[in-house]
Amino acid sequence: MELSEAIYGCKKNNPTAQQYLFDQYSEQMYALCYRYVKNAEDAEELMLDGFFNFFRKIDHFLYSGESSVLPWLKKIMINECLMFLRKNKSFINIALEDYEDVSLSNQIIERISAKDIYRMILELPVGYRTVFNLFVIEGLSHKEIAKTLHITEGTSKSQLSKARNILQLMISKSESIKHKKLYG
Amino acid sequence: MDNQKTDELIREKINQLQIFPGNDKPDRQRSWERMQLRLSKPSSLRLNWWKYAAALLILMMGGYALFQLKQMNIPSSAKVEYPEKIEEGPEGMKSPEVTRNEGPSPLSPIKKIHGKKVFRFKVKEKGSIVTRTIKANDNNRGGELSPGNKNDSAIENNDHLYANKNENIKAVTPASKSIAIVYYNEIEQFKSSPTAPPETNKRLQIRLNTIENPSTNLLATQHSFINTLKINLSPENQQ
């Protein structure tokens, strides 16, 4: 079954088509949800909610190639996660004024695997992690993040800076461990 | 600039990550079964709850509107019947001379019409007997709704008072009493009454509540005059 057929079948409430789409994207979407909430049960629940909304609102979806499905599905999942986080009041709306704009080294990032980066992101506190996910991985601006999370732009910037600081510390620690393993 | 490049690098690496790296990833088949359960649930309740809410709201609003309409609808029979206007006679009518009465009014409400206390008495005017109805003033300050005394007998017994046309009526006001007297020239004694006193000087004794400016407020042709004054028409007072 092709993706376009599956989308057409989903619009007709065809269970086979729905299962096909679910099998195609469920693991990726689960990983996305887990990156935001860092809890297996919550992530699965949010992933199911996201797919449910996807199937219910699929009539409004205009299929324009295979690349159009994933962004739409991701957007639905991110919205579900942010709603969940807002409901649980996971954010602290405090602008940290004494932050410094920290930059990570490209060479070090290139050496680190995607799995390691993923694990490091999961280690961040929920506020830092959410802003980092939205800014770095989803590509939203601070203004958009502030609007989405109902926080100020200053809070968004400071949380991102803190996230980068912590990530740098983690990367340097991981690099030193690797260096010790290699060279004793 | 450095941050932008680093961010792009991280984004690429995370997006390439197709498989969840953790050990606690869910069973896909089990997840799909749960998904199927959600999809098979009737969505009518989820989608149509607002219809029920809207219907309930409309019903409540309709009930409220009906209640308001009933409150506003005053039946015409409940309207207070005001006494007839006293017409001026051929010789004209004198303005009432009034004095303040400190004591309670001897009149008491004799009947209730639609919950309103009224006084009723009959007066002959221009050859016909007219029943007068005076609305009791509940806001009076003299406590005049107390039971009457001997002078109230004419009213309480529904005696009638008649008057001859063009008869001069003279008032005699006792100095010790503080009463109001109104001179009429159309009133005469009820002829057929065996207990009627001689048709000489007759007076209307009018007991008043506390009225600030009687000369301007108590004209006989005004409704306020009738509503405020309590007229004592007992035969004993006509001496």
Side-chain angles (χ1 to χ4, degrees):
Chain A
M1 187 184 279
E2 287 186 10
L3 200 59
S4 58
E5 288 174 38
I7 295 291
Y8 182 77
C10 287
K11 285 186 180 182
K12 297 280 179 190
N13 273 334
N14 182 0
T16 316
Q18 287 173 341
Q19 191 174 7
Y20 174 81
L21 271 179
F22 187 82
D23 289 342
Q24 284 286 112
Y25 295 107
S26 63
E27 199 164 335
Q28 205 173 341
M29 293 304 111
Y30 176 79
L32 187 147
C33 294
Y34 193 89
R35 183 153 48 83
Y36 278 90
V37 297
K38 202 189 168 182
N39 182 287
E41 287 177 10
D42 291 339
E44 190 184 359
E45 198 67 29
L46 289 168
M47 185 257 292
L48 292 175
D49 285 342
F51 269 106
F52 182 80
N53 285 332
F54 176 74
F55 292 136
R56 286 277 166 245
K57 295 173 184 173
I58 202 159
D59 284 334
H60 305 290
F61 174 65
L62 290 172
Y63 180 76
S64 56
E66 290 190 1
S67 58
S68 62
V69 180
L70 191 61
W72 205 60
L73 199 50
K74 267 188 174 181
K75 200 175 177 182
I76 291 172
M77 295 292 169
I78 290 166
N79 277 337
E80 290 291 329
C81 293
L82 294 180
M83 275 169 61
F84 174 83
L85 292 171
R86 270 203 300 267
K87 203 192 285 182
N88 293 341
K89 296 176 182 175
S90 304
F91 303 114
I92 302 165
N93 194 4
I94 300 166
L96 305 169
E97 290 176 0
D98 55 339
Y99 65 88
E100 292 174 11
D101 203 9
V102 183
S103 59
L104 299 169
S105 167
N106 283 347
Q107 290 175 346
I108 298 171
I109 295 293
E110 279 174 3
R111 283 204 300 269
I112 300 171
S113 67
K115 285 182 184 176
D116 286 338
I117 292 173
Y118 184 89
R119 287 198 185 95
M120 283 175 192
I121 291 168
L122 286 179
E123 292 301 313
L124 293 171
V126 61
Y128 301 168
R129 187 173 65 237
T130 309
V131 174
F132 187 85
N133 277 329
L134 291 172
F135 187 87
V136 177
I137 299 168
E138 319 303 344
L140 269 67
S141 67
H142 283 298
K143 199 175 180 180
E144 287 169 324
I145 293 168
K147 200 178 172 183
T148 310
L149 300 181
H150 304 307
I151 57 173
T152 62
E153 278 188 56
T155 306
S156 174
K157 284 176 185 173
S158 65
Q159 301 246 325
L160 181 68
S161 172
K162 285 279 177 185
R164 282 201 172 115
N165 267 330
I166 294 170
L167 273 177
Q168 195 178 31
L169 282 172
M170 286 179 187
I171 288 166
S172 56
K173 197 176 175 181
S174 139
E175 284 293 303
S176 64
I177 291 167
K178 277 182 185 174
H179 192 266
K180 276 182 187 175
K181 278 183 181 174
L182 281 172
Y183 304 105
Chain B
M1 288 297 289
D2 286 344
N3 274 341
Q4 276 186 355
K5 281 181 184 175
T6 316
D7 291 349
E8 280 175 18
L9 203 61
I10 293 171
R11 193 180 304 142
E12 278 175 21
K13 285 203 170 194
I14 293 292
N15 286 336
Q16 283 168 6
L17 194 70
Q18 295 288 333
I19 301 161
F20 180 68
N23 294 322
D24 49 355
K25 61 181 175 185
D27 180 22
R28 192 186 290 174
Q29 191 56 38
R30 204 171 135 260
S31 292
W32 172 243
E33 283 168 10
R34 287 180 67 189
M35 189 76 237
Q36 269 188 319
L37 271 175
R38 287 184 187 208
L39 289 169
S40 62
K41 272 184 188 174
S43 60
S44 57
L45 278 177
R46 284 188 183 204
L47 296 173
N48 292 333
W49 66 268
W50 60 271
K51 285 182 184 173
Y52 297 111
L56 191 68
L57 190 70
I58 288 167
L59 277 173
M60 285 171 72
M61 285 174 71
Y64 180 73
L66 201 67
F67 175 74
Q68 288 290 328
L69 205 66
K70 277 190 176 178
Q71 289 287 318
M72 287 172 70
N73 187 19
I74 303 165
S76 59
S77 60
K79 286 178 183 173
V80 177
E81 197 176 309
Y82 288 101
E84 291 176 22
K85 189 176 179 179
I86 299 172
E87 292 181 1
E88 197 170 337
E91 292 181 1
M93 187 170 60
K94 292 179 181 177
S95 296
E97 289 180 13
V98 290
T99 53
R100 191 166 290 177
N101 183 11
E102 300 293 334
S105 168
L107 293 178
S108 60
I110 58 172
K111 200 169 182 182
K112 281 191 172 184
I113 295 177
H114 304 299
K116 304 283 183 186
K117 291 172 184 174
V118 295
F119 301 97
R120 270 188 169 174
F121 60 96
K122 292 182 179 178
V123 174
K124 187 179 181 185
E125 276 189 4
K126 293 180 180 177
S128 61
I129 298 170
V130 178
T131 303
R132 293 278 172 84
T133 308
I134 299 177
K135 181 187 163 191
N137 186 4
D138 290 338
N139 298 323
N140 52 30
R141 287 168 277 179
E144 69 281 351
L145 295 180
S146 60
N149 51 31
K150 280 183 180 178
N151 295 338
D152 297 334
S153 58
I155 294 294
E156 303 244 318
N157 297 329
N158 291 327
D159 284 354
H160 299 165
L161 182 67
Y162 287 80
N164 284 329
K165 253 187 180 179
N166 301 326
E167 185 177 349
N168 291 323
I169 302 168
K170 194 176 175 183
V172 178
T173 309
S176 59
K177 285 191 175 181
S178 177
I179 54 173
I181 299 169
V182 178
Y183 293 90
Y184 285 92
N185 57 4
E186 287 188 3
I187 301 173
E188 66 175 5
Q189 187 60 36
F190 183 41
K191 287 176 181 174
S192 62
S193 172
T195 57
E199 299 177 12
T200 53
N201 296 331
K202 300 174 182 64
R203 70 185 181 193
L204 291 174
Q205 201 177 69
I206 302 167
R207 301 203 175 187
L208 302 175
N209 301 322
T210 308
I211 297 164
E212 299 301 330
N213 193 359
S215 62
T216 56
N217 288 337
L218 296 176
L219 291 173
T221 55
Q222 291 179 342
H223 284 171
S224 60
F225 168 73
I226 299 164
N227 287 336
T228 310
L229 298 182
K230 309 300 175 196
I231 303 170
N232 187 348
L233 296 172
S234 73
E236 291 175 15
N237 288 331
Q238 296 174 14
Q239 296 299 323

